[in-house]
Amino acid sequence: MKSNRERLREIASVLASYGFGHIYRTRLRTKHKEQDARNLRLAFEELGPSFIKIGQIISTRQDLLPPNYINEMSKLRDDAPPFPFSEISRIFHEEFKESLDDVFEWVDEKPIASASVAQVHKAKLLTGEDVVIKVQRPEIEENLLRDIKLFSRIVSMAPETVKEMLVDVEAAFKEIEETTKRELDFRNEGQALIKFKQLNKENDAVSVPTPYLPYTSKRVLVEDYVGGIRSLNLQQIREEGYIKKDIAEKLVFSILSQVFKDGYFHGDPHPGNIILSDNKIVFIDFGIIGELSEAVKKDLIKMMRAIVFEDIDQLMNLLLQMAIMKEKVDRFQFSEDLDDFYQSYVSKSFGQIDLSSFFSDVLHVTRKYKMVMPNDFILLAKSLTILEGVVTDLHPDINILEIASDYIKSSDDIEIFESFSSAKVKMSAYQLAMDSIKFPSSLKRALDTVNNGRLMVHIDLVHFDEKWREVNKMVNRLVFAVIIAALILASAIIFVMAEAAGVSIFAIIIFIGAGVMGLWLLISIIKSGTL
């Protein structure tokens, strides 16, 4: 294992070889932004399994980087060269103090999957069940956590570079580190499988493998082997008689149920994590799980109500209410950007809205003003974006937002209208009655105030100080112009009324002075650019 200093030099060298020295000078504002994003992905691939995993985690956080970089990070393939089978035997024995022969009738030495974090082998228990053994790569935890810290250190050396890209560099990498630690403990995945299975036990269209908890540890996970169509292979789907539209609709309804009914959803539903088996959608690999807080879940339900009523303005407001302000926001400019955002969607029906673009636009606006969206919202945005891509491949005519609208209207889990208890109705009726009684006297007082000339109007202006200075400048120039006009008029009168036949020197002085001041006023107006 390389020392931290050696690895740091290696990371810096690889990044430099792909042309990222300019980052420190240009803040990523180069003429080849798309090529820069691609080069960053290639650099991560060359740096090995740990950086591939870092890139995949970054791709789940659309608030961290511009969209073109997130898109490239999403292309990182979670496959790596297999490690020796002898390491599988060694790690299993270290975790359970038993050999493979003590537990399994046989284990296939050829892996069925070899990813950046773990390797998977098919096996059969002595009790007869077909299973898979998922074993963590040797030293991956040490390497991955070390590389996260080293990459964070490299990024922190160029704070001005990342200033416009990351809302909070330190918090972002801290979150990535915590996410990685959770994913590297396979006991969490085992518990996630159990919880997901329990929550979806009445859903005949969805399933997950069953983990074998006696043989589940931090570095090893044994679970049911699930046969079927992997990676949503379209040719196999056709050959086995599945209907693509039916699969797509079930996928969407399943995710909507996970989100709005359970508040517990698969965080990475890409094709590689989906198996079609016995007319069921089987989700695998629960390393990334989204768990919504009650507050976010309620806000999402309100969003769904807004979708049902096609109220995009309300949808925008709800999204922005969820954001955490990291610094003071220029409210006037912010309102201008929101208006542009609103106008780009107001003319569209929900069937025309591209979900990935929608979330990307939301996070672009919030990132611009250093507003942090909740982590579970960001993961949900990523999951729905992945789902949209999967559904589009299966059946391009299906729109997730349209299905969501149907789900809301038919689901018992979400109320389209706000619920009303009898106590709430009584309280509202009482308040309405009291306000109605007070209305005539309040109206009379208001009219008396207007009639007696005591009416005061309070107006709040955005950027009041700046606007007041501009008003002062305008008034001063107007007064100055009136004075100049008065001086010119006075000099003319003096000319006419002069008793002597000669020209009045005093009038000439006034006239020249007024001309100079008028010229100065004209020049100042031209320079201000407000002519």
Side-chain angles (χ1 to χ4, degrees):
M1 183 174 174
K2 296 178 181 177
S3 68
N4 285 0
R5 180 173 294 181
E6 289 173 333
R7 182 59 171 166
L8 182 62
R9 280 200 300 266
E10 181 183 7
I11 295 169
S13 174
V14 170
L15 289 173
S17 71
Y18 281 92
F20 285 97
H22 69 269
I23 291 178
Y24 294 88
R25 302 186 297 274
T26 63
R27 300 185 184 182
L28 293 180
R29 290 176 180 171
T30 70
K31 296 180 180 179
H32 308 288
K33 290 183 179 179
E34 296 303 323
Q35 185 62 39
D36 285 344
R38 180 174 178 274
N39 283 346
L40 185 61
R41 173 177 62 82
L42 294 174
F44 273 42
E45 288 175 349
E46 185 170 328
L47 286 166
S50 58
F51 262 81
I52 288 174
K53 193 62 190 176
I54 292 171
Q56 290 172 338
I57 295 171
I58 290 174
S59 75
T60 67
R61 295 288 305 269
Q62 297 184 58
D63 59 325
L64 295 186
L65 288 170
N68 54 329
Y69 281 81
I70 293 296
N71 290 339
E72 283 296 329
M73 292 293 103
S74 299
K75 295 176 184 177
L76 285 168
R77 296 289 176 248
D78 198 9
D79 53 67
F83 57 88
F85 183 75
S86 59
E87 291 294 308
I88 299 287
S89 301
R90 178 183 66 81
I91 293 171
F92 188 88
H93 186 269
E94 288 177 356
E95 294 293 301
F96 305 110
K97 309 306 179 189
E98 295 182 80
S99 69
L100 292 175
D101 292 336
D102 293 333
V103 180
F104 301 98
E105 183 178 323
W106 56 264
V107 179
D108 190 348
E109 295 191 12
K110 183 180 179 181
I112 58 175
S114 182
S116 56
V117 167
Q119 192 161 289
V120 180
H121 291 256
K122 189 177 179 182
K124 188 170 188 174
L125 291 168
L126 290 174
T127 50
E129 295 90 348
D130 289 328
V131 296
V132 295
I133 310 170
K134 183 177 180 180
V135 180
Q136 204 168 108
R137 281 185 171 275
E139 300 181 343
I140 185 62
E141 181 174 12
E142 296 86 345
N143 290 336
L144 187 48
L145 294 177
R146 177 201 62 188
D147 283 355
I148 289 172
K149 287 181 174 142
L150 292 177
F151 187 55
S152 172
R153 182 177 168 186
I154 288 173
V155 172
S156 66
M157 290 166 64
E160 292 303 317
T161 300
V162 299
K163 190 174 182 182
E164 295 178 2
M165 293 165 50
L166 296 171
V167 174
D168 188 332
V169 179
E170 185 177 346
F173 279 99
K174 185 67 176 174
E175 177 63 27
I176 288 174
E177 185 177 348
E178 292 302 316
T179 300
T180 302
K181 286 179 179 178
R182 287 194 298 272
E183 191 174 351
L184 287 172
D185 190 340
F186 289 168
R187 290 170 295 190
N188 293 328
E189 184 173 351
Q191 291 301 319
L193 286 166
I194 292 172
K195 183 172 181 178
F196 190 91
K197 182 181 282 288
Q198 178 65 25
L199 290 171
N200 290 272
K201 63 182 179 180
E202 297 179 0
N203 190 341
D204 294 333
V206 173
S207 181
V208 293
T210 301
Y212 288 79
L213 295 184
Y215 296 104
T216 296
S217 67
K218 184 175 181 179
R219 295 189 293 168
V220 177
L221 172 63
V222 176
E223 62 185 30
D224 284 339
Y225 172 78
V226 179
I229 300 173
R230 296 178 179 270
S231 301
L232 295 177
N233 185 290
L234 297 181
Q235 183 176 345
Q236 285 185 272
I237 288 173
R238 285 192 298 270
E239 289 173 354
E240 297 197 20
Y242 285 95
I243 300 172
K244 291 187 289 183
K245 182 180 179 182
D246 180 60
I247 297 170
E249 288 179 344
K250 285 179 179 176
L251 264 174
V252 176
F253 274 103
S254 171
I255 295 294
L256 291 173
S257 177
Q258 293 171 37
V259 172
F260 296 106
K261 176 175 173 288
D262 307 326
Y264 195 80
F265 60 94
H266 195 296
D268 193 18
H270 66 77
N273 288 337
I274 298 171
I275 299 174
L276 296 180
S277 178
D278 296 328
N279 292 313
K280 287 187 177 183
I281 295 169
V282 182
F283 291 99
I284 62 172
D285 194 349
F286 279 70
I288 301 176
I289 278 291
E291 193 161 7
L292 300 177
S293 65
E294 280 302 312
V296 173
K297 188 177 173 182
K298 286 178 181 177
D299 283 339
L300 287 171
I301 291 173
K302 290 178 182 177
M303 287 182 200
M304 296 307 296
R305 290 195 189 102
I307 288 174
V308 170
F309 294 111
E310 299 197 9
D311 186 351
I312 295 182
D313 190 25
Q314 171 70 354
L315 190 60
M316 297 303 100
N317 290 336
L318 286 166
L319 287 170
L320 294 164
Q321 286 171 17
M322 295 167 70
I324 301 168
M325 308 291 184
K326 300 296 283 189
E327 59 183 48
K328 187 175 180 180
V329 174
D330 183 336
R331 293 184 178 275
F332 180 75
Q333 186 61 48
F334 186 50
S335 65
E336 292 282 314
D337 284 343
L338 287 183
D339 185 60
D340 291 341
F341 185 24
Y342 174 79
Q343 293 302 326
S344 66
Y345 287 97
V346 71
S347 61
K348 298 181 180 179
S349 70
F350 279 93
Q352 295 174 311
I353 294 176
D354 180 78
L355 201 61
S356 57
S357 297
F358 175 78
F359 278 118
S360 178
D361 288 345
V362 170
L363 294 173
H364 172 74
V365 173
T366 55
R367 185 173 62 242
K368 179 179 178 181
Y369 291 94
K370 308 298 181 185
M371 299 163 65
V372 180
M373 298 300 286
N375 290 331
D376 41 15
F377 173 84
I378 294 167
L379 180 58
L380 176 61
K382 179 65 176 178
S383 298
L384 292 178
T385 301
I386 293 171
L387 181 67
E388 184 177 54
V390 173
V391 168
T392 300
D393 288 341
L394 284 169
H395 196 78
D397 295 334
I398 285 182
N399 182 275
I400 292 179
L401 288 176
E402 288 181 336
I403 295 179
S405 179
D406 293 338
Y407 174 84
I408 281 292
K409 293 171 183 175
S410 62
S411 176
D412 295 329
D413 304 319
I414 306 173
E415 298 173 348
I416 295 180
F417 301 98
E418 294 281 357
S419 60
F420 293 99
S421 65
S422 59
K424 186 184 291 186
V425 172
K426 289 177 182 177
M427 182 63 70
S428 298
Y430 172 77
Q431 188 64 51
L432 177 62
M434 293 300 296
D435 290 342
S436 299
I437 292 171
K438 294 176 183 178
F439 178 73
S441 58
S442 298
L443 179 60
K444 181 179 182 299
R445 283 196 300 271
L447 292 174
D448 286 343
T449 300
V450 174
N451 190 49
N452 295 330
R454 299 195 306 271
L455 180 66
M456 297 179 65
V457 179
H458 178 75
I459 300 176
D460 285 328
L461 293 177
V462 180
H463 294 171
F464 176 77
D465 291 339
E466 294 178 13
K467 289 180 171 58
W468 185 248
R469 282 195 295 270
E470 293 301 319
V471 171
N472 275 335
K473 287 180 182 179
M474 180 182 68
V475 172
N476 289 339
R477 285 172 178 168
L478 183 60
V479 171
F480 197 36
V482 170
I483 293 172
I484 292 171
L487 289 173
I488 293 173
L489 182 61
S491 66
I493 293 173
I494 292 172
F495 267 119
V496 173
M497 298 184 64
E499 294 181 358
V503 178
S504 171
I505 300 299
F506 182 60
I508 292 174
I509 293 172
I510 294 175
F511 185 80
I512 292 172
V516 171
M517 286 189 289
L519 183 62
W520 178 77
L521 177 62
L522 181 62
I523 291 171
S524 66
I525 292 174
I526 292 172
K527 284 184 175 180
S528 70
T530 57
L531 184 61

